[in-house]
Amino acid sequence: RQRQMCIRDRDGIVHAVALVAGLIAFSLLLGHVLGSGDLGTFAALAVYAAGYFAMFGFSLAYNMVPPSPLKWVLRRFDHSAIYVMIAGTYTAIVVHFDNVVFAAILAGIVWTGAILGAVVKIALPGRMDGLAVLAYIALGMVGLAAIGPAREALPAPSLVLLVLGGVTYVAGVAFYRWHGLRFHNAIWHLCVAIAAALHFAAVAVAVAG
């Protein structure tokens, strides 16, 4: 029991830091964009922020609550929110694309996949968890189809940060699956937090550029 509490404490620290950092960072970024009068970018960033706080908020709640019926419910929303975060990140990126039609199609594909994934997680909890991990990665890899438009629309540092964030997410999956490693879950969440920070930096650079 003490070990479980220790694990929850470490998870809680990672999530709390991510949420506080996100609150500060998104407030500054959204305030900057709103001040510039770019309402389209503001709306895209608001969706992105909603996905960020949904993912880390539900993950914090799920990982901190002890085993109970409530924890099982939170698990559904925790896993579903990952899809929303992925789609929200895409939304914050494609809003900068010059090709509006391509951006809309890409966003539509990603959001369709995210909604379907979230529905499966809520309606069929505990099933196909292994496939869900692959689905998260596959949804993130859809962005490879947008390399051309991304290179034309985004500053080089944004592209580098996006790639680093994606690699960090995928690398974190190894720790998520490494159940024999002590604190593997906390390490996985740390990787997620770092990847999210890299992607936020990529978005911020794109906004500033």
Side-chain angles (χ1 to χ4, degrees):
R1 184 175 179 180
Q2 288 182 341
R3 183 174 183 273
Q4 290 179 339
M5 291 179 63
C6 185
I7 293 173
R8 286 205 302 268
D9 288 343
R10 282 169 170 74
D11 281 335
I13 291 171
V14 172
H15 287 86
V17 170
L19 286 169
V20 172
L23 183 62
I24 297 170
F26 275 106
S27 296
L28 293 173
L29 186 61
L30 287 168
H32 169 74
V33 174
L34 186 60
S36 70
D38 189 348
L39 297 182
T41 300
F42 179 84
L45 292 178
V47 171
Y48 174 36
Y52 179 96
F53 289 111
M55 185 181 75
F56 281 106
F58 279 120
S59 186
L60 173 62
Y62 167 61
N63 284 279
M64 294 303 291
V65 169
S68 63
L70 175 60
K71 188 178 184 71
W72 183 243
V73 173
L74 289 171
R75 184 179 189 273
R76 303 183 187 189
F77 291 98
D78 171 33
H79 291 185
S80 298
I82 297 173
Y83 287 110
V84 179
M85 172 62 169
I86 295 172
T89 304
Y90 270 101
T91 303
I93 293 298
V94 301
V95 72
H96 299 285
F97 285 10
D98 299 321
N99 190 329
V100 178
V101 174
F102 180 87
I105 292 174
L106 180 62
I109 292 172
V110 172
W111 273 106
T112 299
I115 292 171
L116 290 174
V119 168
V120 170
K121 277 296 180 182
I122 292 175
L124 303 172
R127 301 183 189 178
M128 299 181 289
D129 283 350
L131 289 177
V133 174
L134 295 178
Y136 296 140
I137 296 174
L139 197 60
M141 297 292 282
V142 169
L144 292 175
I147 290 178
R151 290 179 61 184
E152 294 176 1
L154 301 176
S158 285
L159 294 174
V160 173
L161 289 165
L162 285 172
V163 172
L164 290 175
V167 170
T168 304
Y169 271 124
V170 174
V173 173
F175 294 104
Y176 172 74
R177 304 292 293 179
W178 192 355
H179 299 289
L181 178 66
R182 192 179 186 190
F183 305 130
H184 77 101
N185 211 45
I187 297 173
W188 152 242
H189 287 137
L190 179 60
C191 288
V192 170
I194 292 172
L198 289 169
H199 281 173
F200 177 88
V203 172
V205 169
V207 169

